[in-house]
Amino acid sequence: MRLPFLLSTTAIALAISLPASATSFSFSTTLSNLGEPIPTSTGTGSATVVFDDVTKMVSVDETFANLVNNASAAHIHCCTAIAGTGSVGVALGFSDFPSAKSAHYVKSFTLATLAFNNLLLGAQQGKAYLNIHSPGTYSGGEIRGFLAPVPEPAAYGMMLAGLGLLAWVAKRRQRP
């Protein structure tokens, strides 16, 4: 009976000792025609967006392919009324975005504190999306994807430790 108490006390102490907030938050998305005004493009892509809450920097790493026309603009929109759906204005425009049908784009942007915090909150709530526009038919947007959080490796370790503890407790309770 003392071991479960000791284990739970240790787990609580570890949780309390962890930092109150991380310094970076990672999000990813898969880009497709879903949600675009004219959802007929065969373009595809993926992106990772990292927010650093110390430097207020947003880093974008995006790859796209098979656009109908060369890209004319790309950006992150925020914040839609309902998570995972809708359209809303631009929150972060991408400078020097390649005018190409397929490319890889990597860039970091430093934002003012309020703009950074609003965009990060929108991403955490599933209300921020990244999209790429091309001229003509897809001037309103060719491909897009809502940002979704990427779990930190430590979160997997904590989850596995918790599941192991639950399994151990369940096994102990099954003994006559």
Side-chain angles (χ1 to χ4, degrees):
M1 200 65 177
R2 301 187 95 204
L3 187 58
F5 175 75
L6 180 62
L7 288 173
S8 62
T9 305
T10 304
I12 291 170
L14 281 172
I16 291 172
S17 69
L18 293 174
S21 65
T23 58
S24 67
F25 303 87
S26 298
F27 298 84
S28 65
T29 188
T30 299
L31 304 170
S32 71
N33 63 20
L34 296 176
E36 289 296 0
I38 302 173
T40 57
S41 173
T42 57
T44 60
S46 62
T48 300
V49 179
V50 178
F51 292 77
D52 184 317
D53 70 356
V54 173
T55 63
K56 305 302 183 212
M57 188 172 288
V58 179
S59 300
V60 177
D61 186 339
E62 178 178 25
T63 302
F64 61 96
N66 303 318
L67 298 182
V68 172
N69 292 308
N70 288 342
S72 58
H75 28 251
I76 298 175
H77 293 257
C78 192
C79 297
T80 61
I82 300 171
T85 186
S87 294
V88 70
V90 173
L92 175 60
F94 298 167
S95 57
D96 305 321
F97 196 77
S99 177
K101 292 180 181 180
S102 299
H104 182 209
Y105 175 77
V106 178
K107 185 96 172 180
S108 293
F109 306 88
T110 302
L111 302 179
T113 299
L114 182 59
F116 177 89
N117 291 340
N118 287 339
L119 185 55
L120 175 58
L121 180 61
Q124 290 171 326
Q125 294 175 342
K127 297 179 176 183
Y129 63 93
L130 188 148
N131 83 331
I132 300 174
H133 299 257
S134 62
T137 303
Y138 303 109
S139 61
E142 186 166 346
I143 57 175
R144 74 164 66 187
F146 276 85
L147 297 176
V150 175
E152 295 291 327
Y156 290 117
M158 292 287 281
M159 182 178 67
L160 288 173
L163 289 172
L165 180 61
L166 287 173
W168 181 81
V169 168
K171 186 175 181 180
R172 297 257 318 163
R173 287 186 178 176
Q174 288 178 351
R175 290 184 183 165

